[in-house]
Amino acid sequence: MITRIAGGRIIDGAEDEGDAKRDLWIEDDRIVAAPTDGRPADRTIDATEHLVMAGAIDIHSHIAGGKVNLGRLLSPADHRENPVERAGAALRSGSGLTTPSTFTTGFRYAAMGYTAVFEPAMVASNARATHLEMADVPIVDKGAYVMLGNDEYLLRRLAAAAEQGEINDYVAWMMQATAAHAVKVVNPGGISAFKFNARGLEIDEPVPHHGVTPRRIVAALARAVHEIGVPHPLHVHCNNLGMPGNVETTLATIAAAEGYPIHLTHVQFHSYGSEGKRGFSSAAHRIAEAVAQNPNVSIDVGQIMFGATMTESGDTQAQFRNRSLADPDTWISMDIECDGGCGLVPMRYRDSNFVNALQWTIGLELFLLVEDPWRVFLTTDHPNGGPFASYPHLVRLLTDRSHREDCLAQIHPAARKASTLAGMTREYTMREIAIMTRAGPARSLGLSERGHLAPGAVADVVAYRPDSDVAAMFRAPAHVFKSGVEVARDGAILAAPSGTTQLVRPAYDRQVERHVRRFFDDHMTIGFDHFPLAAGELADAGLAVAEQQCRPSAGRA
Amino acid sequence: MILDGVEIEDTFAEAFGMRATRLIVTADTPRWARIAGDTATGFATSVIACGAEAGIERDLSAEETPDGRPGIALLFFAVSRDALTKALRDRVGQCVLTCPGTACYSGLDEGERLPLGRSLRYFGDGYQAAKRLGDKRYWRIPVMDGEFVCEDTVGQVKAVGGGNFLILGKTHRGVLAAAERAVEQMRRLIGVIMPFPGGIARSGSKIGSRYKGLVASTNDAYCPTIKGIVKTALPPSVDAVLEIVIDGLNEAAVGAAMATGIRAACAGNDGEILRITAGNYGGKLGPFHFRLHELLA
Amino acid sequence: MSNGAQTQAQDAEGTGETIACPFCGLLCDDLPASGGKVETRDCPIAAAGFARGAAPRRSHMVGGRETDLAAAAAAAGAILAAARAPLFHGLTADLHGVRALLALAERVGGVVDHELSAGFLANVAVARASGWVTATFSEVANRADVILLVGADPVRDFPRFHERLVQNPTPLYRERPPFMAYLGAAGDAPSRDVVPLQATIGEGDLLPALGALAALLRERPVAREDSAIPIAALVDIAARLKAAHYGVIVWDVAALPQGHAELAVELIAAMLRHLNVATRCVGLPLGGSGNALGAVQATLWQTGWPLRVGFGEGAPLHDPWRYDGTRMLAAGEADALVWVAALGTAPPPASSVPVIAIVADDVALPTPAAVEIRVGIPGLDHAGEAIRGDTVVAMNLVAAIPSDRPSVAAAATAILEALRPVA
Amino acid sequence: MITLALRSRPPGRLSLAGVTPDRLAALDETAIAKLPVRLGNRQTALGDWFDIRIAGAGEDKLVISGAGGDRLDQVGGMMASGELTVEGDVGARAGLAMTGGRLTVSGSAGDAAATAMRDGEIRIGGDVGEALGGALPGERVGMRGGTVVVARNAQSGVGDRMRRGLVVVVGSAGAFCGARLAAGTIVVGGGIGDHPGIAMRRGSIVALGAAPRLAPSFADCGVHDLIAQHLLARRLALLGLGTLASRIGPLRRFMGDQAEAGRGEILVPR
């Protein structure tokens, strides 16, 4: 089956040359070079004047796992007000906008031109359930980052001054056991500290009982992830989320990585100064400066979008602090398996609220101040900053200065005054959008066959019909192909293939299993033999596994 | 124009826009409602130094009040919403909240609402409670004899302050008797108060003073004891003048009150009263002009 | 170096193969198993559960006649296709089974409920509308220094509760066994050797007693004249919880007094929210037998709603009253019943509607079902996945005594396939 | 006036949310008959179940009549204005999320009447089921305003999670009356079941029948004849409940639930 997407403007962030007007050819599930043997296309898609890009990749979106399900539970209004009927015999129904059900998540992402989504906060002990849940997220490829750095085993080994090699083996074992694609650390040490009743944790403050510091945890994990060769660097949610003045913590976290690659996630929530009479200010420029100076650092923004949403986080310490912001006033906190935690707080961001308005400007400042689109990714930390359905609007804010300024005029006047956003003239080009939503995430995640349109790539292709309203254009692309199958047209789902589960399987010395086994035997309520996902479990759940290669290394990036 | 032998000068009273509200204060007995009303509307003759002008509009029977107890209707006037808000908070807080058995309600349903109970509730130190019944919201503030109930907000209207007329006569005794007749009749009306002592002012004031910092001073043109040395407005036989000042919820109420007062002052005149006039500033300052001849036509 | 995750058991230091027991929400995974024999470690529920494997084999039936799965599925499909309000109830299946049943229910516009939902929906109602603080089994086993049991001794429904979650010989973060307290009816009380501090109350007094405890924790006045409420013991419990480093309040929602469960949980949740302002105290809402929490989780992720979901309106709708399966049957609102009992053994409730029984061999049907599909038990006849009573850990169930009985997922999928030709 | 006469008791539950006088006023008989209504998984139309008659125009008045109304759910749901009169019984969630207008039911109502009601008035001539004035599943807040008067008895959970408004049960109320009350006023003329006000935070429960046994987390604050009681009596009298109003005299005040915020009150006979 050969498909020709004819007449579009190809915008491939991974290619050095500028945008080209040419046909794109797909054979089965791959992009191919234009046939030279004169074979005709089996079908031709008229994409005249359309913008043709690779399928978009969301590097950080909470789409599955126990806390996502708790988020759904806590959002009855979202599900009541956003019913989604079955749109075809082969499709499934669902509900929700901020905490959509799984089928709805997959369909909505695909209809927006996204073909891969990564769940960034899988609790290790919840891995099996998370993957079973992701099996019901159709169309898109998905993967999950396992959360480490608050697991008691690792903290105890770090406290016992374990060698880096042992840490590396443990991390690799854990990634295999949980079928993870990357490693995340959330509030390093802080979730464990909260279980010992510590309400905050500074980066050089010892974790209660263990004595190790967040700085040490970040250093050990960043190095481990790099040395075992996981493509995506350690994915870091810093300490002190949401606290005024936390920019210092964020900058210290960059230093803690000691030059190893790290990815700082939802940095908007970590770019706060404490200036001004309200003691809350933007420190976006300092973060942007640090990103420019540290090539080992990438970020995603975690833009907030005004409206009601649900915040879902492994960071129980921060979420417990935020409970007073709950709207409606109901929240959940959970300590999980000597391993992690989760906290749920419904939230309503208001443009009339000074803090929320300033958060909004800080996110946009970060986008506009970080110059290298390869190292800043478009996220709202769905749903924490706002639902992924708001991405089209966010793209418009980045590409359309006059719209941005119209929105800026609506927000709390003191926040508007405090922000430097008004003076920023930058408008993202479509090529930059393609990099930050496709080529960049693909490179960061080691997805060599995705995020670009070169022959050989997986045929995840999106054709956007040009529209002066960029948001409208990105909301419902004219054509979306997933692995060569047209899955969506003008916002409507046509087909629902299941997508793959992306993972990496770093190698490790099996000696580590003996230690971990003893820990499980002595302390845990699940046995060592039953903790890892067994071979075939993902297949039984209907998931097709796609493994990305590791590149182990002993040196720094 | 001559009314009962009194010359009505062809002039006008010049009045100003104010903000006003009506409160209903109830208590266990009419006596305690009256005590609360007198106290809350005391020291409220002129906005110049009292912050507000206030007075008792009328007594209310138990059937007329929200809680079925005897009460009293009070009117408050101030120069702005903020001034009125502050005056209400201070006066109700000090004079009604403190008074045994009272409760306080809005007596006006129209207009933009001003906070009252919602400001006073903090006296409850966390033990206050709101209660909404129908479309009204009340605050219940625990006090030593039970609860002080006060409506959350009160209505407020654009009103008219400074309606007036002056009674010119031969003797103090005669002029005072005429003014008393006027006030007695005017007090039967709804929507107006005469904020000066007993409803009557002797200190007709003019704008400005020869002394720095004084915004108003004695109205020398109407002071009989110095009429020989000032540019007097008094005919030679006038040796006493009193003024009645009226604040009302609207222009019609003020006009009606002036007409009622002037007629009552003139009625039964035994030659003591010579003339009725009114105070104005040449029509330059106040938007409301009450022409005496038109009111009495 | 190797790809270690795929290796099973048999490590040099391993203790031999163990399997998980699917028959209560604890999902204890330390039962030694070999050659089709499972050692049930003195657990009566596990013993009874694994003994079910010996039940005589029964055939699939349609209209009282033996048939094969395909024919039974076709007959079931015909009933469901004609039904206006088909009810899927019982639902004691593993996660794959629940996922497949949800797909089928959506396809035929049905209503989905679970036989234990009355209990866990009380927990769900409080969790989502009021919020709480909870923890999972391993946190409790390693941190708890004070444990308050509310309502009934958990051993009633979770026989190895004390052994697995309390009497941890090697806890990570406590120096001595946790101090145990109990608040509930005298008849449900655990032994005083196990739980020394007991505030026992009369029938129907759980709510006022919990209210008093919550007020004491807030240092608010408490009326002491009601002799039915043991205030002195509650004062002691309150002091222990406040002084605890990591207190735990445990309740088995199914064992709470009928009709009082939701408000009892509400008061417990209020205590948890309050206690965590100054110290740590977590709730442990026990439940999840019959994979009830797996059913809730899968329904939540597939539909956005917890159980008692209806697909009749197009998009899934949740209504704990309207889609209460037992109520619907009693009120004559359902016109077909799919009764699923794989992990559970309850027969379908009596009704006059055609019944499609997807049940294990030992489930006796008091009246013949229109369609009888005999399925295996996950974790016994075949592999499967189930979610533990702490809602976080999913357990891989292996086939302890493998058989070729079809799974619930296979049965549901066969029916779905039988429906396919219909658009 | 529009009349919908139910022909027979439907075989399953029918939801009449949105079938309200304000929304039907602009439609003719044919259009009303075509309004969709779901029966299980089947799409049916209003005309399949009701005989529809319009008499006179321009009035926001709707009458629903006929036996078997106990299977009609959400009657008056989403009503914003006008008058809806039911001659007979209604099913669950009568007056769901009403924002205005007046719903009068001559018979009894099922469970969860006045759920999430915001404003307007509901009068039930007979009994009501459980959770009168409560919250939608999963929602923190129940009834937020308006007035409900039940002429006879209510089952358990009256005003569960209610936030504002007035609920009057002239007869008796079942267990858990005013549980989790956030604010608002509940008046019960007759007996009141076990555990009133459990986990209430603010608001008032006025139990004019026999004094119930209260949890130890309710604190006795003495007997009072408060102005608020006079205001309530006035309000009841305005609703035509003069007899009930006349029974509000000095009452004993308990504050609770001290297990929660503890700023609510239960007023009971001395």
Side-chain angles (χ1 to χ4, degrees), chain D residues 3 31-32 49 61 71-72 76 92 94 140 155 158 178 191 205 212 215 222 226 231 234 244 248 262 269:
Chain D
T3 308
I32 292 172
W49 306 102
K61 282 193 178 162
R71 276 195 170 150
L72 301 179
R140 178 162 182 80
Q155 292 176 23
V158 172
I205 301 169
L226 298 172
L231 292 169
R234 255 303 155 95
L244 204 57
I248 298 184

Side-chain angles (χ1 to χ4, degrees), chain A residues 4-21:
Chain A
R4 179 168 70 107
I5 299 174
R9 222 176 99 209
I10 306 290
I11 300 175
D12 185 350
E15 282 182 18
D16 286 337
E17 65 263 31
D19 312 340
K21 193 170 168 181

